[in-house]
Amino acid sequence: MRVAGFVEESIVDGPGVRFVVFAQGCPHQCPGCHNPLTWDLEGGKDATIKEIIRMIKKKRKNIRGITLSGGEPFLQAPEMVLLAQKAREIGLDVVTYTGYTYEELQQLDLPGVQELLDASDILVDGPFLIEQRDISLSFRGSINQRVIDLAGTKATGKLVLIA
C-alpha cells in the first residue's frame, strides 16, 4: 500500500492512544488541510501490511487501536481492510477518517469500501471545510464532520453519532 507515514502514539486521532497510518493520495484536496503532502497519489512510500503490523505490535501495549487517516484511506480500501482486520485480530479497535460522507461511501463504486466500513469501529466522515473550522471539536476539524459509531449504525439501520 502507499503511505505518507505513521504516528506511533497519537491522542488526537480517535479515542485513547492510537497508532496512525496516513494513506497517500487524496481526491478531496480540502483548502486548509493539515496533511496536503498526502494528496499526491505518487507521493509517499510503499509499505506492506506485514511491515505495518510489525510496527503496531511493538506499540500494542501502549495503544488502544489504530487510525486510518490520510490522504483518503478509501482509495486503498482493499489494503486498508486487511490492515484493519489484522489489527482487530490482535485486540485493537479501528477508526477510519474519510473526506467522503457516509452516504457517499454507500454509493461509491470502489472495491473494498463496504468491507472497510465493516472492519472499522468508528468513521469520521466529511471533508474538512475551513469556513466551518472549530478547534474545540474532538477528533475532527470542522463542524460538518461527524464521528459515527459504525456498529450502532449497522445494528439500528440509522446513523448513530458519537460526538
Side-chain angles (χ1 to χ4, degrees):
M1 80 172 50
R2 203 81 187 145
V3 298
F6 309 96
V7 172
E8 293 184 353
E9 294 183 13
S10 170
I11 59 169
V12 297
D13 296 296
V17 180
R18 312 195 65 76
F19 187 99
V20 184
V21 178
F22 291 95
Q24 185 66 42
C26 186
H28 310 293
Q29 302 186 2
C30 304
C33 171
H34 71 278
N35 287 332
L37 294 176
T38 66
W39 293 357
D40 182 4
L41 291 170
E42 304 300 321
K45 59 186 176 185
D46 287 322
T48 67
I49 293 168
K50 188 175 183 177
E51 291 168 336
I52 298 169
I53 290 296
R54 191 176 311 122
M55 289 188 287
I56 291 169
K57 283 182 175 179
K58 287 180 183 176
K59 290 293 179 180
R60 186 170 164 218
K61 292 179 183 174
N62 299 331
I63 61 174
R64 171 180 168 169
I66 68 166
T67 295
L68 307 175
S69 192
E72 177 54 64
F74 283 93
L75 290 183
Q76 300 181 66
E79 295 86 357
M80 293 291 175
V81 168
L82 295 175
L83 181 58
Q85 290 170 340
K86 293 284 187 192
R88 292 174 68 97
E89 286 173 13
I90 60 172
L92 301 174
D93 64 20
V94 179
V95 173
T96 302
Y97 279 76
T98 181
Y100 296 107
T101 64
Y102 178 78
E103 294 80 6
E104 289 170 333
L105 288 171
Q106 299 300 310
Q107 304 300 317
L108 198 60
D109 188 25
L110 287 175
V113 169
Q114 188 58 54
E115 292 84 354
L116 183 53
L117 288 171
D118 290 343
S120 300
D121 297 287
I122 295 173
L123 181 74
V124 181
D125 81 335
F128 171 72
L129 299 176
I130 196 155
E131 63 276 6
Q132 294 185 27
R133 180 176 180 245
D134 184 343
I135 61 171
S136 71
L137 299 170
S138 295
F139 314 133
R140 60 198 193 275
S142 56
I143 60 173
N144 64 296
Q145 295 172 311
R146 303 173 294 185
V147 181
I148 301 169
D149 173 347
L150 289 172
T153 296
K154 189 173 183 178
T156 64
K158 298 178 188 172
L159 212 56
V160 176
L161 301 181
I162 295 172

